[in-house]
PDB file of all heavy atoms in Angstrom:
ATOM      1  N   GLU A 377     -10.391  -1.498  11.729  1.00  0.00           N
ATOM      2  CA  GLU A 377     -10.542  -1.683  13.144  1.00  0.00           C
ATOM      3  C   GLU A 377      -9.707  -0.719  14.011  1.00  0.00           C
ATOM      4  O   GLU A 377      -9.989  -0.477  15.143  1.00  0.00           O
ATOM      5  CB  GLU A 377     -10.098  -3.249  13.400  1.00  0.00           C
ATOM      6  CG  GLU A 377     -10.979  -4.210  12.769  1.00  0.00           C
ATOM      7  CD  GLU A 377     -10.490  -5.647  12.883  1.00  0.00           C
ATOM      8  OE1 GLU A 377      -9.304  -5.842  13.270  1.00  0.00           O
ATOM      9  OE2 GLU A 377     -11.182  -6.529  12.692  1.00  0.00           O
ATOM     10  N   SER A 378      -8.544  -0.423  13.390  1.00  0.00           N
ATOM     11  CA  SER A 378      -7.603   0.505  14.085  1.00  0.00           C
ATOM     12  C   SER A 378      -6.774   1.079  13.031  1.00  0.00           C
ATOM     13  O   SER A 378      -6.823   0.933  11.797  1.00  0.00           O
ATOM     14  CB  SER A 378      -6.864  -0.253  15.203  1.00  0.00           C
ATOM     15  OG  SER A 378      -6.065  -1.324  14.553  1.00  0.00           O
ATOM     16  N   GLY A 379      -5.628   1.700  13.465  1.00  0.00           N
ATOM     17  CA  GLY A 379      -4.696   2.328  12.539  1.00  0.00           C
ATOM     18  C   GLY A 379      -4.127   3.511  13.143  1.00  0.00           C
ATOM     19  O   GLY A 379      -4.905   4.372  13.617  1.00  0.00           O
ATOM     20  N   SER A 380      -2.885   3.832  13.004  1.00  0.00           N
ATOM     21  CA  SER A 380      -2.254   5.029  13.586  1.00  0.00           C
ATOM     22  C   SER A 380      -2.984   6.245  12.871  1.00  0.00           C
ATOM     23  O   SER A 380      -2.960   6.261  11.614  1.00  0.00           O
ATOM     24  CB  SER A 380      -0.802   5.035  13.371  1.00  0.00           C
ATOM     25  OG  SER A 380      -0.075   6.067  14.046  1.00  0.00           O
ATOM     26  N   GLY A 381      -3.300   7.152  13.654  1.00  0.00           N
ATOM     27  CA  GLY A 381      -3.946   8.293  13.149  1.00  0.00           C
ATOM     28  C   GLY A 381      -5.459   8.200  12.874  1.00  0.00           C
ATOM     29  O   GLY A 381      -6.128   9.175  12.494  1.00  0.00           O
ATOM     30  N   MET A 382      -5.955   6.972  13.116  1.00  0.00           N
ATOM     31  CA  MET A 382      -7.471   6.758  12.828  1.00  0.00           C
ATOM     32  C   MET A 382      -8.308   6.995  14.054  1.00  0.00           C
ATOM     33  O   MET A 382      -9.450   6.891  13.998  1.00  0.00           O
ATOM     34  CB  MET A 382      -7.469   5.348  12.226  1.00  0.00           C
ATOM     35  CG  MET A 382      -6.868   5.024  10.980  1.00  0.00           C
ATOM     36  SD  MET A 382      -7.431   6.112   9.710  1.00  0.00           S
ATOM     37  CE  MET A 382      -9.176   5.933   9.583  1.00  0.00           C
ATOM     38  N   GLN A 383      -7.718   7.336  15.122  1.00  0.00           N
ATOM     39  CA  GLN A 383      -8.379   7.788  16.319  1.00  0.00           C
ATOM     40  C   GLN A 383      -9.394   6.694  16.885  1.00  0.00           C
ATOM     41  O   GLN A 383      -8.884   5.628  17.190  1.00  0.00           O
ATOM     42  CB  GLN A 383      -9.132   9.132  16.142  1.00  0.00           C
ATOM     43  CG  GLN A 383      -8.046  10.145  15.697  1.00  0.00           C
ATOM     44  CD  GLN A 383      -8.824  11.529  15.437  1.00  0.00           C
ATOM     45  OE1 GLN A 383      -9.463  11.656  14.272  1.00  0.00           O
ATOM     46  NE2 GLN A 383      -8.594  12.411  16.407  1.00  0.00           N
ATOM     47  N   GLN A 384     -10.685   6.863  16.937  1.00  0.00           N
ATOM     48  CA  GLN A 384     -11.775   6.018  17.312  1.00  0.00           C
ATOM     49  C   GLN A 384     -12.566   5.483  16.189  1.00  0.00           C
ATOM     50  O   GLN A 384     -13.695   5.946  16.104  1.00  0.00           O
ATOM     51  CB  GLN A 384     -12.481   6.599  18.469  1.00  0.00           C
ATOM     52  CG  GLN A 384     -11.719   7.237  19.581  1.00  0.00           C
ATOM     53  CD  GLN A 384     -10.970   6.207  20.476  1.00  0.00           C
ATOM     54  OE1 GLN A 384     -11.541   5.108  20.749  1.00  0.00           O
ATOM     55  NE2 GLN A 384      -9.726   6.341  20.761  1.00  0.00           N
ATOM     56  N   PRO A 385     -11.935   4.726  15.229  1.00  0.00           N
ATOM     57  CA  PRO A 385     -12.693   4.520  13.984  1.00  0.00           C
ATOM     58  C   PRO A 385     -14.133   3.990  14.018  1.00  0.00           C
ATOM     59  O   PRO A 385     -15.002   4.449  13.353  1.00  0.00           O
ATOM     60  CB  PRO A 385     -11.726   3.646  13.224  1.00  0.00           C
ATOM     61  CG  PRO A 385     -10.751   3.069  14.181  1.00  0.00           C
ATOM     62  CD  PRO A 385     -10.717   4.070  15.327  1.00  0.00           C
ATOM     63  N   THR A 386     -14.188   2.868  14.867  1.00  0.00           N
ATOM     64  CA  THR A 386     -15.558   2.186  14.864  1.00  0.00           C
ATOM     65  C   THR A 386     -16.603   3.146  15.575  1.00  0.00           C
ATOM     66  O   THR A 386     -17.727   3.212  15.209  1.00  0.00           O
ATOM     67  CB  THR A 386     -15.485   0.809  15.511  1.00  0.00           C
ATOM     68  OG1 THR A 386     -14.957   1.009  16.775  1.00  0.00           O
ATOM     69  CG2 THR A 386     -14.590  -0.029  14.688  1.00  0.00           C
ATOM     70  N   THR A 387     -16.231   3.776  16.666  1.00  0.00           N
ATOM     71  CA  THR A 387     -17.014   4.610  17.347  1.00  0.00           C
ATOM     72  C   THR A 387     -17.522   5.847  16.565  1.00  0.00           C
ATOM     73  O   THR A 387     -18.633   6.258  16.442  1.00  0.00           O
ATOM     74  CB  THR A 387     -16.523   5.061  18.733  1.00  0.00           C
ATOM     75  OG1 THR A 387     -15.927   4.012  19.423  1.00  0.00           O
ATOM     76  CG2 THR A 387     -17.508   5.864  19.550  1.00  0.00           C
ATOM     77  N   MET A 388     -16.583   6.409  15.917  1.00  0.00           N
ATOM     78  CA  MET A 388     -16.885   7.585  14.885  1.00  0.00           C
ATOM     79  C   MET A 388     -17.798   7.109  13.878  1.00  0.00           C
ATOM     80  O   MET A 388     -18.661   7.915  13.350  1.00  0.00           O
ATOM     81  CB  MET A 388     -15.555   8.113  14.505  1.00  0.00           C
ATOM     82  CG  MET A 388     -14.653   8.815  15.658  1.00  0.00           C
ATOM     83  SD  MET A 388     -12.982   9.124  15.243  1.00  0.00           S
ATOM     84  CE  MET A 388     -13.208  10.714  14.446  1.00  0.00           C
TER      85      MET A 388
END
Side-chain angles (χ1 to χ4, degrees):
E377 294 172 346
S378 63
S380 187
M382 295 307 297
Q383 301 178 288
Q384 307 293 315
T386 55
T387 308
M388 295 166 83

